[in-house]
Structure formats: C-alpha cells, structure tokens
Amino acid sequence: MTNATPYVIIGASLAGAKAAEALRDTGFDGPVVLIGAETELPYERPPLSKAYLQGKAERDVIYVHPRQWYQEAGVDLRLGATVTAIDRAEHQVVLGDGSRLGYGKLLLTTGSSPRRLPVPGADLDGVLYLRSVGDSDRIKAVLGSAASIVVIGAGWIGLEVTAAAREAGVAVTLLEAAELPLLRVLGPEVAQVFAALHRDHGVDLRCGVQVGEITGKDGHVAGVRLADGSVVAADAVIVGVGIAPNTELAAAAGLEIDNGVTVDAALRSSDPDIYAAGDVASAFHPGIGKHIRVEHWANALNQPQAAAKAMAGQQVSYDRVPYFFSDQYDLGMEYSGYVEPGGYDEVVFRGNVPGREFVAFWLGEGGRVLAGMNVNVWDVTDAIQALVRSGRPVDKAALSDPGMPLDAVRHE
Ligand SMILES: Cc1cc2nc3c(=O)[nH]c(=O)nc-3n(C[C@H](O)[C@H](O)[C@H](O)COP(=O)(O)OP(=O)(O)OC[C@H]3O[C@@H](n4cnc5c(N)ncnc54)[C@H](O)[C@@H]3O)c2cc1C
Ligand SMILES: NC(=O)c1ccc[n+]([C@@H]2O[C@H](COP(=O)([O-])OP(=O)(O)OC[C@H]3O[C@@H](n4cnc5c(N)ncnc54)[C@H](O)[C@@H]3O)[C@@H](O)[C@H]2O)c1
C-alpha cells in the first residue's frame, strides 16, 4: 500500500461497504477509510422488514461482510463516527470529535432517513419507525406482545411490516393518505392487487384518510385520531411515510443538490473529487435520459462498483435497469424499470391477476415497455429488462400471452 491521501467513504451501510470492496476490486491499493455513524457493522436493510423481523433469520444474515473482511482488505472501518462537515478547499472531512481527515477522493453513501409524521402525539412512547436494525428489534418485540397496531403509510415499509404483523397474529389497521397502497409507484391497476392482498389477510386497510393526532395515555400511545374525528385504538403505531435523502453534508459543502446529490452517469458530483452512490445519489441515467434517485437495495449494491471505477480513473457509465423486490405473505415480486407517477399509457397483464401469479407491463408512448413486474412468476427478470432496455414498441398480444416466451416477444 502507498502512503497516499486516503479515499474516504462517508456512510457505512450497503453502498459504503460495497464501494470499499469495489475499490479493492478495481486494483486501488491506497488507503481506504469507511466512516459510519451507526455502531453496527455495515448491513443490508431488506431483512429488517421481512425474515429478520419475523424471527425467521438470524442477525448474521444482514451483514455485508464479516468483521475480518475489512481488516483483510485493508479498509479502515470507523464505526460510531459521524462526519459533520466537508472542507472542500482543504480536501478534508471533519468528524464529530473535531478531528480532520484528508481525502484524495470522497464518496458519499449517506443514504436516507425516515420522514417524521408532523402530528401531535408523534413523540409518544410506542410510535416507531423502521430504518435500522435496532428499530427492527423494537418492532419485533411489539409484534410479540401487541394485540393490535396501527400502521401509518401503505408504502413498502407499511405493507411489509403489516404482513409480518398479521403473520404474528396481530390485528392491523393500515392508514394510507392516497386512494390505494403504492399508488404513486404502481398506478391504480396494480396497486389494487396489493389492497386486495392485505384485505384478504384480514387487514383493516383505510385509504384516502388523514391522521390528525396520535393519542396517548400516561405517555404511551393509545390510538390514532383521524381528521374525520374517528379514533382507532392501538398498542403501538408504526410509521412508514417515506424517506428523505441525507444531503445535509453535501449541501453545506456547496455541492449541487436536487432531490439528492446530483451526480453524472459516472456518479461524479459537481466537485470532480466527490462522488455519491446509493439512496442519496440523484444520478443521470443514460437509458432513461434524466437524473433519477433510486431508493432500493439493488441500486445501493451496484452503483458503488461504477463509482469506484470512476474514482480509480476508469471511464464508466451506470446504466443498469432499476430493480427491486418485495415479499408479503405468500406474494413475492420483482420490478424492473422506471416509471414516473402516472407516466405511462397503459398496463398489460399476462397470467392470473386474481390468483396473484402474473407479470404486469407498464407501456409508454408507441407501446414501448417502461417497466415490468413479475408476481409469483420467476426467472423472467432478464427478459423483462431486455424489453425495457430495447426502448422499442412491442407486440401487445404477444406480451399478454403466457404461452409466448417473453424473450420471443416481437419488437414492432
Ligand atoms: C426496513 C427496510 C427494508 C427494505 N427492503 C427493501 C427491499 O426488500 N428491496 C429493496 O430493493 N430495497 C429495500 N429497502 C431499501 C434499501 O435498504 C435501501 O435502498 C438501502 O439501504 C440504501 O443503502 P445506502 O447504503 O445507500 O443507504 P443507507 O442504508 O441509508 O445507509 C447510509 C448510512 O450512512 C450513515 N451516515 C449518514 N450520514 C452520515 C454521516 N454524516 N457520517 C457518518 N455516517 C453517516 C447512516 O448512519 C447509514 O448507516 C429497504 C429499506 C428498509 C429500511
Ligand atoms: N421492498 C422494497 O423495495 C422496500 C421495502 C421496504 C422499504 N423500502 C424503501 O424504504 C423507504 C421507505 O419506505 P416507505 O414505505 O416509508 O416509503 P414509501 O415512499 O414507499 O411509502 C410511503 C407511503 O406513505 C404514504 N403517506 C405519506 N404521508 C402519509 C400520511 N401522513 N398518512 C398516511 N400515509 C402517508 C404515501 O402515500 C406512501 O404510500 C423507501 O425508499 C422504500 O423504497 C423498500
């Protein structure tokens, strides 16, 4: 190893740990410092609302690398350490204890934080959010003791926690401001599949509602009062109303911010020595032709490889098709592609929608495939992504015909 100024990564979760690995894979042999505010080894979050929350997986499943990996790879992992400022002029980061550390190049993988619910009573004991493994442990304890809970927000967190709660035998009232769960991301045609799924599992799903207040007794949550005056009693309230990217450091350092840290297709920010990847990055996507910020696991897994190559001086353009997955009860799904809210012309289904075994395609102008989602149908992701990548109109009759292999669907 050289004595060069280190490459510093701020944020030691999935994107940060993968970036450290990718820097070594590219052959970078200078010092790498990975700084994380959490005290836990870098970990992945998907199990926190699924198998780990349900007690079906041990804690070990969450870690990106075992502890000795960092030592063996020569990665200086500093946990429980928060970066409070970036001094771009001096090429230094400032840590919470006031110390300074020089950087040759800097990568921001600071991720995102849950939005807080701005209503009276939101700070009562028993009002819980889910982002960290500690949050998951607290919710797991609640699911082991509560008779009934209220979940606020029927997005990915709300739906997955609701499924875990129902499987634990807990009664759930699920409150969503929009007219359907996941409406912005899926649109009404597919969002109603998720509404039906949860109602079929005994969830009291109430859409188009406004939370007015969280009520309490002796400092602990007692229920939720809706804007229409109705009250739902609850032993605990779990809130999943979205996240905000952790851009404060980058903004204070004067980097360009627009719904995340603005980066080009090589993940480089408005400062050529500073990069960003994962939930915090709003990256130019060459296939989509605009900047997008993706709040999903696969993006935090794969973007760091591109960022590391760019940091090591290689030409790179991150153009993977966005991808995510979810598991709720006996429904497993994968989604590939990118659609702005309402930004499609029609949805074409193939397979059995009421039986929840189907593929849905969101089509844009001229009938080109913008995104596809397979529900309880497997091994079709590559074919769906090929259709998305082609950017060409497809034969809709073939697309909806389950007898026609997806990779044989004709482009028009
Ligand atoms: C419960 C849960 C379940 C999920 N399930 C799925 C799923 O099934 N499928 C899917 O595709 N996606 C899922 N996601 C989303 C996925 O986990 C995120 O997209 C991913 O965690 C983003 O990784 P990241 O490394 O970019 O950011 P984060 O995971 O947010 O990590 C950022 C890290 O940076 C640290 N940090 C921030 N600021 C500083 C600072 N100034 N100094 C030091 N450290 C700092 C934070 O403490 C944190 O550890 C889930 C998310 C959650 C919370
Ligand atoms: N399977 C997955 O991919 C997965 C699983 C869990 C979490 N995540 C990620 O974690 C992050 C957080 O998830 P999330 O579910 O909190 O966010 P989200 O953006 O997916 O959903 C938030 C939901 O809350 C609703 N909402 C907002 N304000 C409300 C209010 N005051 N009252 C009632 N409803 C309200 C919104 O309409 C939306 O349906 C996201 O980035 C998500 O992608 C992903």
Side-chain angles (χ1 to χ4, degrees):
M1 298 224 179
T2 66
N3 285 323
T5 317
Y7 280 12
V8 174
I9 304 166
I10 310 177
S13 184
L14 177 58
K18 280 288 162 189
E21 179 185 342
L23 277 171
R24 291 298 180 231
D25 288 348
T26 61
F28 177 73
D29 65 356
V32 174
V33 184
L34 174 56
I35 305 172
E38 295 184 72
T39 51
E40 201 76 22
L41 278 179
Y43 62 93
E44 305 195 13
R45 300 181 198 271
L48 306 183
S49 52
K50 307 179 191 67
Y52 180 75
L53 178 63
Q54 292 174 293
K56 293 179 183 166
E58 296 299 323
R59 203 175 180 96
D60 283 359
V61 303
I62 67 175
Y63 298 114
V64 183
H65 301 297
R67 187 174 294 275
Q68 71 270 20
W69 180 89
Y70 298 91
Q71 243 173 357
E72 286 166 11
V75 172
D76 179 358
L77 177 62
R78 303 192 189 176
L79 296 175
T82 302
V83 174
T84 54
I86 302 166
D87 183 339
R88 288 169 56 196
E90 295 294 328
H91 265 58
Q92 291 176 338
V93 297
V94 183
L95 286 115
D97 63 4
S99 62
R100 285 174 167 258
L101 174 70
Y103 65 82
K105 290 198 182 348
L106 184 63
L107 176 65
L108 303 175
T109 50
T110 48
S112 48
S113 301
R115 292 183 195 282
R116 300 281 143 174
L117 195 64
V119 299
D123 54 355
L124 283 164
D125 198 24
V127 178
L128 302 169
Y129 293 79
L130 177 51
R131 186 76 195 170
S132 68
V133 64
D135 296 336
S136 181
D137 287 335
R138 280 183 283 278
I139 294 173
K140 192 191 293 185
V142 162
L143 299 189
S145 61
S148 67
I149 62 170
V150 166
V151 175
I152 302 178
W156 298 111
I157 290 280
L159 295 180
E160 291 179 2
V161 168
T162 293
R166 292 301 300 134
E167 295 201 336
V170 178
V172 182
T173 304
L174 176 55
L175 305 175
E176 167 57 48
E179 292 306 315
L180 283 167
L182 303 170
L183 184 60
R184 279 174 61 81
V185 51
L186 300 181
E189 300 86 348
V190 180
Q192 54 200 355
V193 171
F194 287 86
L197 171 73
H198 284 270
R199 288 193 170 119
D200 287 354
H201 284 84
V203 175
D204 179 2
L205 169 63
R206 304 189 195 178
C207 294
V209 296
Q210 291 296 322
V211 172
E213 177 188 3
I214 299 181
T215 62
K217 190 163 182 280
D218 303 329
H220 193 275
V221 66
V224 175
R225 177 172 288 113
L226 301 179
D228 67 6
S230 59
V231 173
V232 185
D235 300 322
V237 171
I238 321 284
V239 183
V241 295
I243 55 173
N246 294 326
T247 54
E248 299 80 357
L249 271 181
L255 297 180
E256 190 182 323
I257 308 287
D258 183 8
N259 179 34
V261 179
T262 305
V263 292
D264 62 16
L267 290 321
R268 190 184 295 112
S269 77
S270 53
D271 179 326
D273 287 334
I274 304 182
Y275 297 73
D279 270 22
V280 79
S282 174
F284 183 78
H285 192 291
I288 297 168
K290 59 164 77 168
H291 284 82
I292 61 168
R293 192 173 60 75
V294 178
E295 303 174 351
H296 290 289
W297 170 88
N299 185 65
L301 181 78
N302 295 316
Q303 262 188 350
Q305 293 170 26
K309 283 183 182 158
M311 290 167 80
Q314 299 176 21
Q315 288 292 327
V316 62
S317 176
Y318 184 81
D319 61 358
R320 275 182 182 251
V321 174
Y323 165 92
F324 63 85
F325 62 92
S326 181
D327 297 310
Q328 299 164 33
Y329 313 103
D330 54 359
L331 182 152
M333 57 74 69
E334 297 172 288
Y335 179 106
S336 296
Y338 179 80
V339 185
E340 301 268 328
Y344 62 93
D345 293 339
E346 65 177 305
V347 176
V348 169
F349 290 99
R350 71 156 47 197
N352 180 351
V353 181
R356 298 185 193 119
E357 204 174 307
F358 66 90
V359 186
F361 298 95
W362 286 260
L363 303 190
E365 49 168 320
R368 66 192 190 93
V369 178
L370 303 173
M373 178 173 118
N374 46 306
V375 171
N376 290 342
V377 173
W378 304 108
D379 301 324
V380 289
T381 297
D382 288 349
I384 292 173
Q385 295 198 352
L387 288 168
V388 172
R389 254 193 306 271
S390 91
R392 303 213 314 272
V394 292
D395 176 345
K396 279 190 255 173
L399 200 59
S400 63
D401 176 3
M404 167 76 79
L406 269 183
D407 48 15
V409 170
R410 213 163 34 84
H411 298 287
E412 296 193 324

